[in-house]
Amino acid sequence: MNSIILLSVLGLGNLFLGFRRSNRLLLPVMMLILGLVLTVNFLDWGTSESFFHGMLTIDNFSVAFTGIVLLTALVLIPFSQKYVLDGESNLAEYYSLLLFSLVGAIMLVSYNHLLMLFLGIEILSVAMYVLAGSDKRNLRSNEAALKYFLMGAFFTGILLFGMALLYGATGTFVLSEISFAVQNPAPGFESLKPMLYIGMLLMLIGIGFKVSAAPFHFWTPDVYEGTPTFFAAFMSTIVKTAGFAAFLKLLVQAFPAANAQGIWLPTLTAMCVLTLLIGNVGAVAQTSIKRMLAYSSISHAGYLLIALVAYNGQLEGASANGILFYSLAYSVATVAAFGVVKLVADARMREDYNGLNGLAKTNPLLAFSLTVSMLSLAGIPLTGGFFGKFFVFSAAVENGYIGLVVFAVVMSMVSIYYYLRPIIAMYMRDIDAETAEAVPVTTFQAGALLLLVALTVLLGVLPGLVAGAL
Amino acid sequence: MLTVLLLLWPVAAALLLHFFKGRAARVPALGAALVEFALAAYAAFTFNTNNSGQFSFDLNWIPSAGIQFAVGMDGLSLLLVLLTAVLVPVILLSAFRRNFENESVFYALVLFMQTGLVGVFTAQDAFLFYFMWEVALIPIYFLAGVWGGVNRARVTFKFFLYTIIGSLFMLAGFVYLYFQTGPAADGLSAHNSALASFYALNLPVETQIWVFWLIFAAFAVKMPIFPFHTWQPDTYTEAPAPATMLLSGIMLKMGIYGCMRWLLPVVPAGTDYWQNLVLILAIIGIIYGAIIAIRQQDVKRLIAYSSLSHVGLMIAGVFSLTQMGLQGAAIQMLAHGVNVVGMFFIADAIERRTGTRHIADLGGLTRKAPVLTVCFLVLLLGTVALPLTNGFVGEFLLLAGVYQFNHWMGAVAGVTIILGAVYLLRMFQRVMLGPDSSFTETFTDLTGSELALLVPLIVLVFWIGLFPNTFLHLSEGSVMNILNEVVKR
């Protein structure tokens, strides 16, 4: 709870720095704020407290996911330094919007009441709609913002409609009460069942859109491509982590009953298979790295969906731990990937694979960081991504989803193809005239990249630090 | 604890190498490899040949999943750790002959790979084994891909994809077996992945029949066994000489060792079921590799195909499931490692001096380089398996093992010795004898440091050839243990 309050207050404070036009101060201040909130967040570890008449609960689950979200934001912020150097006049507003969107993310990982779920998604999304269009003179950024907003608004409507139907069927918005109502049907409940099931499905669709699960993924490549890379990184990590935590909470706390499972489990399994297929096969065909990363983020939504399908009935089980570990490893690797791609794209003005040619010679650090992050996303051992996949797949095998895991393993074989392409470009292709100059990297950025590499390897060598924390 | 030191020292040294730039990294890199050798030698001297696991170390790696960081060595592991420790300094020395870009990174990767190799040979936990298996892959991919020949990007990509897909199958197999095991010793997890628990599994035959292929996929690609070998000749040819030595001298032994430790005793009934098929594939590989080697015009490719042929015999020996076959494979792993590294070094020495590996371009080196000729001949005869050399002991035992299993198979596999003599002596004749060519006019003999590199290898050729018992004695107990596990059920 403290982190929500702190973020809101300091986000407002941040705006005042913008009035003073003190751009230079903004970056260190942002990092201080996020570092502070991250520390405060972990003070709540081991406690379990409810707020607003039980609408929000801060427990280990929410603290852990809040930690991932804040850490991701903290290591991502240095890659916005170009805005500071260019004297971007709206920087304070961007930063404040980011802080507010984090509040939304925290609400998503700690809600107990569907109203909070809705508010969290809206707070998170509205900030993202604005930031997607922040490069306002770029046609593609405008397109991205419009697409994201129109589609987002539409799916929010569907989500809301689902909630309304659910309320109609069960008479409550509280997760545990929904679960109780489904498990102990009141007289006359039988006739309300279609309402319940349709409500449930509409909610799955609404959240599925936010985490870019197929077949509700169509916006992802276009929006990622048009959105300024820095904010695209934000979308593909923080929105996804918070979205999946919310998804898990919904399924575990509201719909654990067998008859509810009968509806959402096949739906989710189908979504999962489709997402894995579209994400991985789509990524193979891309020539732009940003679009490849967009499809890669779709495919990782697929792997995370496996953990949801294989959940075993509680917020502390193998499935929740799998999602926790996977989100952390995925976020860390994705931030590094987007960070390097942004730096290279800013300097060389291109986002295709050939823009990376010879990067190992001009910028060994960037090349190394991107390599580690690609290996992690591909799930190669020594990196966190391997254990992320390992835990998720084991949870699924343990619960008998062997066919699904076989399919996912085949898909991750496909993914090796496109994750190796940047590595080959950087290390095995020669420098050409356009890529001969070193890409400028500031100290903050180099530090952030080193931290990300260290984290990825640490997760890959000593997974016990995070695995089984919940 | 010694095993942990053997594991961590190379990777620590690799990290420290970053403080040295360019040529300055040579001495520390070699020093680190020699320290590792000293550690391995110490382990060999203090090793008790009673052959249960020794120098064991156990740490709860991922408590929530019952996965242990468990390492230890029995005779077989020790033999391969020794091979690694001997060959890595030699390989580093050979790398000093070439001026690679970013030398310090090159040496760091070689040392890093050594950690992976030692890890594979000492792991006592299935997931640790898999982990180390991939740790050994990543550095060799970059060694071959960054410093390799013109087609390196395409060729190493194929290599990486082949091996990683193979090992993903193995991982799938391990995960399946893992869920069949009982709870971990500390009770924190419902399953565990210790080697002993895998041995204790008594799976139904029908299950073992398909689990066999999951695990065998990784080993089949790595060794490689026909028809999974298509990545091998290209990769050996395109990779820089030191990387080729690592691949052929040590890395392919990971596959054979894997079969002996993680396949035969884990799925004995599955092995029994597929024994004939694997033997036939291995024997096809022996003949196929040899026949193609005869047709080769490139020295490196010829050695690559000869390696394919020799590996086939080792696989046949292992799958004969006889004591002689397994013992033969153990000692032949050593012998082949020594010989093939020496041969690739000589091929590289010739290429550095003449700028060509094409057999037709060479000739008449004997007169200009008598020392090189002698070294080449010794290594070559070792590879041909002449009595008194290291190759003889291994191939004799291997053939005896296969013969014991099936006379006809033994007879066909025996052709390997004849064909091996054909292509190797043919190459020797055309490269070393005959008239000079325009490429070899200014040829110079081996330098002192090159000779210093070859001497230990030549000593090993004769040592293993004359006193094989030094090494056979080491592995005997472990081979018996493995066979007992296989026969038990």
Side-chain angles (χ1 to χ4, degrees):
Chain A
M1 191 63 210
N2 295 331
S3 36
I4 294 183
I5 299 171
L6 261 177
L7 274 175
S8 316
V9 172
L10 293 173
L12 280 177
N14 214 17
L15 277 177
F16 286 98
L17 275 180
F19 293 144
R20 292 179 36 113
R21 299 250 163 260
S22 36
N23 261 7
R24 290 198 162 278
L25 264 178
L26 272 173
L27 188 71
V29 167
M30 270 300 276
M31 294 180 72
L32 265 179
I33 293 177
L34 287 167
L36 177 73
V37 180
L38 188 62
T39 325
V40 168
N41 170 54
F42 278 105
L43 293 182
D44 289 336
W45 184 260
T47 63
S48 178
E49 238 181 307
S50 288
F51 299 93
F52 304 124
H53 305 284
M55 289 166 99
L56 281 182
T57 307
I58 307 289
D59 50 11
N60 280 357
F61 180 87
S62 74
V63 170
F65 277 95
T66 307
I68 295 180
V69 164
L70 291 172
L71 180 73
T72 311
L74 178 63
V75 285
L76 189 58
I77 284 292
F79 295 102
S80 64
Q81 205 167 5
K82 189 165 186 294
Y83 290 125
V84 178
L85 300 174
D86 289 355
E88 167 68 48
S89 54
N90 297 326
L91 189 60
E93 283 87 336
Y94 295 168
Y95 281 165
S96 297
L97 280 171
L98 284 186
L99 292 180
F100 295 144
S101 75
L102 287 176
V103 174
I106 297 176
M107 287 167 70
L108 274 183
V109 303
S110 43
Y111 73 96
N112 247 344
H113 189 281
L114 293 185
L115 187 61
M116 285 293 149
L117 170 68
F118 178 73
L119 276 181
I121 284 187
E122 280 311 281
I123 294 177
L124 187 57
S125 301
V126 168
M128 285 296 127
Y129 300 146
V130 177
L131 293 172
S134 64
D135 188 1
K136 54 181 178 277
R137 282 183 191 80
N138 184 338
L139 215 56
R140 282 183 173 277
S141 178
N142 279 301
E143 182 197 332
L146 195 63
K147 253 188 190 157
Y148 195 26
F149 174 66
L150 285 180
M151 303 276 274
F154 186 68
F155 278 93
T156 303
I158 288 182
L159 180 75
L160 210 51
F161 193 27
M163 286 180 190
L165 289 179
L166 216 57
Y167 184 80
T170 60
T172 173
F173 279 126
V174 181
L175 294 183
S176 52
E177 289 173 17
I178 294 175
S179 165
F180 184 83
V182 176
Q183 272 167 344
N184 309 289
F189 183 70
E190 216 40 48
S191 60
L192 292 174
K193 264 193 174 165
M195 204 165 162
L196 170 76
Y197 293 154
I198 294 172
M200 225 158 67
L201 284 181
L202 291 180
M203 285 196 70
L204 289 191
I205 293 172
I207 304 183
F209 168 84
K210 295 294 168 194
V211 298
S212 59
F216 314 107
H217 67 283
F218 290 101
W219 58 278
T220 317
D222 291 347
V223 169
Y224 279 22
E225 196 186 16
T227 306
T229 314
F230 172 68
F231 301 117
F234 209 85
M235 282 177 196
S236 78
T237 51
I238 287 169
V239 177
K240 189 152 289 176
T241 307
F244 267 99
F247 222 146
L248 185 68
K249 267 183 95 82
L250 183 70
L251 298 180
V252 171
Q253 296 185 329
F255 306 130
N259 54 351
Q261 245 188 46
I263 300 294
W264 63 255
L265 198 55
T267 317
L268 222 52
T269 315
M271 274 166 81
C272 172
V273 170
L274 207 57
T275 310
L276 282 170
L277 187 71
I278 289 174
N280 283 300
V281 174
V284 169
Q286 301 308 315
T287 50
S288 146
I289 304 180
K290 254 173 101 176
R291 284 185 80 89
M292 182 275 273
L293 286 173
Y295 276 101
S296 133
S297 101
I298 297 177
S299 77
H300 287 281
Y303 297 118
L304 283 163
L305 279 170
I306 295 179
L308 288 187
V309 169
Y311 100 111
N312 58 356
Q314 52 204 348
L315 270 188
E316 287 82 34
S319 182
N321 273 309
I323 291 186
L324 180 74
F325 195 98
Y326 200 104
S327 311
L328 181 57
Y330 165 79
S331 298
V332 167
T334 305
V335 168
F338 271 104
V340 173
V341 168
K342 173 173 167 55
L343 294 178
V344 173
D346 284 347
R348 294 180 175 172
M349 307 309 265
R350 55 197 286 191
E351 286 168 356
D352 58 340
Y353 288 105
N354 289 336
L356 292 172
N357 283 0
L359 194 69
K361 296 223 171 60
T362 57
N363 295 72
L365 174 67
L366 292 190
F368 182 64
S369 317
L370 188 56
T371 302
V372 171
S373 109
M374 287 293 126
L375 292 178
S376 181
L377 289 174
I380 312 276
L382 253 191
T383 60
F386 166 69
F387 280 108
K389 284 209 175 92
F390 179 78
F391 292 137
V392 167
F393 290 178
S394 321
V397 170
E398 198 172 6
N399 291 302
Y401 295 94
I402 293 176
L404 192 59
V405 171
V406 169
F407 181 72
V409 169
V410 171
M411 284 297 124
S412 46
M413 289 176 187
V414 172
S415 79
I416 292 167
Y417 171 78
Y418 58 81
Y419 286 131
L420 272 191
R421 284 179 70 184
I423 301 181
I424 291 173
M426 290 186 298
Y427 283 93
M428 301 176 202
R429 302 234 187 278
D430 290 324
I431 302 176
D432 54 48
E434 283 179 63
T435 62
E437 281 192 30
V439 172
V441 183
T442 65
T443 326
F444 274 136
Q445 289 159 355
L449 283 175
L450 282 176
L451 183 69
L452 289 166
V453 167
L455 266 175
T456 306
V457 174
L458 190 69
L459 287 174
V461 176
L462 297 173
L465 293 178
V466 179
L470 289 178
Chain B
M1 206 59 213
L2 187 61
T3 317
V4 179
L5 208 57
L6 274 166
L7 258 176
L8 293 185
W9 168 249
V11 70
L15 289 176
L16 291 177
L17 266 191
H18 281 285
F19 294 108
F20 300 92
K21 285 282 163 266
R23 296 172 73 98
R26 290 182 175 184
V27 178
L30 185 64
L34 289 175
V35 169
E36 176 84 356
F37 173 69
L39 286 172
Y42 175 75
F45 278 118
T46 50
F47 187 76
N48 179 349
T49 43
N50 75 16
N51 262 298
S52 48
Q54 289 164 53
F55 312 111
S56 299
F57 179 81
D58 227 338
L59 189 83
N60 222 347
W61 191 24
I62 311 172
S64 60
I67 298 175
Q68 301 277 321
F69 183 91
V71 290
M73 290 193 275
D74 63 357
L76 189 61
S77 308
L78 181 68
L79 217 53
L80 286 157
V81 170
L82 270 175
L83 176 74
T84 313
V86 171
L87 289 184
V88 166
V90 171
I91 289 167
L92 281 173
L93 263 176
S94 82
F96 297 167
R97 310 274 100 219
R98 296 240 177 191
N99 287 316
F100 290 114
E101 259 183 81
N102 290 326
E103 278 184 52
S104 56
V105 181
F106 190 96
Y107 306 141
L109 284 173
V110 173
L111 287 171
F112 181 42
M113 185 172 173
Q114 192 173 17
T115 292
L117 293 165
V118 172
V120 165
F121 296 139
T122 55
Q124 303 292 316
D125 181 287
F127 292 120
L128 183 65
F129 174 78
Y130 172 79
F131 183 81
M132 289 300 181
W133 182 270
E134 301 295 26
V135 167
L137 172 66
I138 295 167
I140 194 71
Y141 170 69
F142 283 97
L143 282 173
V146 178
W147 287 274
V150 188
N151 291 324
R152 57 185 192 270
R154 188 179 53 79
V155 166
T156 50
F157 184 66
K158 185 175 171 186
F159 162 64
F160 192 82
L161 221 54
Y162 255 78
T163 46
I164 205 117
I165 288 177
S167 47
L168 278 175
F169 279 112
M170 172 171 80
L171 180 63
F174 282 170
V175 169
Y176 178 81
L177 294 174
Y178 166 75
F179 282 110
Q180 315 301 317
T181 60
D186 58 10
L188 285 176
S189 159
H191 304 286
N192 76 93
S193 51
L195 181 66
S197 329
F198 274 33
Y199 280 9
L201 288 173
N202 215 338
L203 298 176
V205 182
E206 304 79 56
T207 318
Q208 293 200 20
I209 286 171
W210 59 266
V211 173
F212 173 88
W213 278 103
L214 287 181
I215 302 179
F216 188 56
F219 303 148
V221 171
K222 205 73 140 205
M223 295 192 283
I225 186 172
F226 179 89
F228 303 100
H229 66 283
T230 55
W231 61 269
Q232 188 223 26
D234 286 340
T235 311
Y236 279 19
T237 317
E238 285 297 322
T244 312
M245 295 177 192
L246 282 169
L247 278 166
S248 59
I250 318 178
M251 201 152 179
L252 70 82
K253 276 71 182 185
M254 284 166 48
I256 298 167
Y257 171 86
C259 283
M260 290 164 83
R261 175 84 69 215
W262 291 97
L263 186 67
L264 310 187
V266 173
V267 284
T271 311
D272 186 55
Y273 187 86
W274 295 109
Q275 187 179 16
N276 277 314
L277 178 67
V278 176
L279 268 163
I280 288 168
L281 286 179
I283 289 168
I284 292 177
I286 294 173
I287 307 290
Y288 170 87
I291 289 176
I292 294 196
I294 295 175
R295 305 287 308 152
Q296 289 309 309
Q297 290 301 316
D298 181 312
V299 180
K300 246 179 148 181
R301 276 189 99 81
L302 190 149
I303 306 175
Y305 277 107
S306 101
S307 173
L308 181 63
S309 173
H310 283 103
V311 168
L313 186 58
M314 290 186 237
I315 302 166
V318 169
F319 278 85
S320 73
L321 299 182
T322 56
Q323 192 195 351
M324 272 195 281
L326 263 76
Q327 277 284 53
I331 194 148
Q332 183 66 357
M333 279 198 262
L334 274 190
H336 178 263
V338 169
N339 293 338
V340 83
V341 165
M343 297 273 276
F344 273 122
F345 177 72
I346 301 236
D348 187 50
I350 293 174
E351 191 195 350
R352 259 184 285 123
R353 287 171 167 77
T354 60
T356 179
R357 294 193 304 252
H358 208 62
I359 293 179
D361 292 342
L362 298 163
L365 299 184
T366 318
R367 283 183 296 283
K368 300 214 160 67
V371 182
L372 182 131
T373 311
V374 172
C375 294
F376 195 10
L377 195 61
V378 169
L379 291 164
L380 194 115
L381 293 177
T383 316
V384 176
L386 199 75
L388 299 187
T389 63
N390 56 0
F392 176 72
V393 185
E395 299 218 338
F396 178 80
L397 285 171
L398 286 166
L399 286 173
V402 179
Y403 186 79
Q404 203 179 339
F405 172 71
N406 182 318
H407 297 342
W408 290 106
M409 284 183 179
V412 179
V415 177
T416 175
I417 297 195
I418 303 166
L419 289 175
V422 172
Y423 59 76
L424 286 169
L425 292 175
R426 214 169 107 100
M427 171 181 74
F428 186 79
Q429 179 203 356
R430 296 210 275 165
V431 170
M432 307 304 287
L433 309 174
D436 283 8
S437 77
S438 56
F439 289 94
T440 58
E441 268 164 10
T442 55
F443 201 84
T444 51
D445 207 345
L446 291 178
T447 61
S449 62
E450 282 174 325
L451 191 61
L453 182 163
L454 284 170
V455 164
L457 297 182
I458 288 173
V459 168
L460 277 170
V461 168
F462 288 117
W463 187 356
I464 305 176
L466 294 170
F467 309 104
N469 266 337
T470 332
F471 303 97
L472 286 174
H473 195 51
L474 275 179
S475 59
E476 195 176 4
S478 355
V479 164
M480 290 313 293
N481 288 345
I482 289 168
L483 279 177
N484 285 339
E485 288 289 341
V486 177
V487 180
K488 203 168 66 188
R489 284 151 283 166

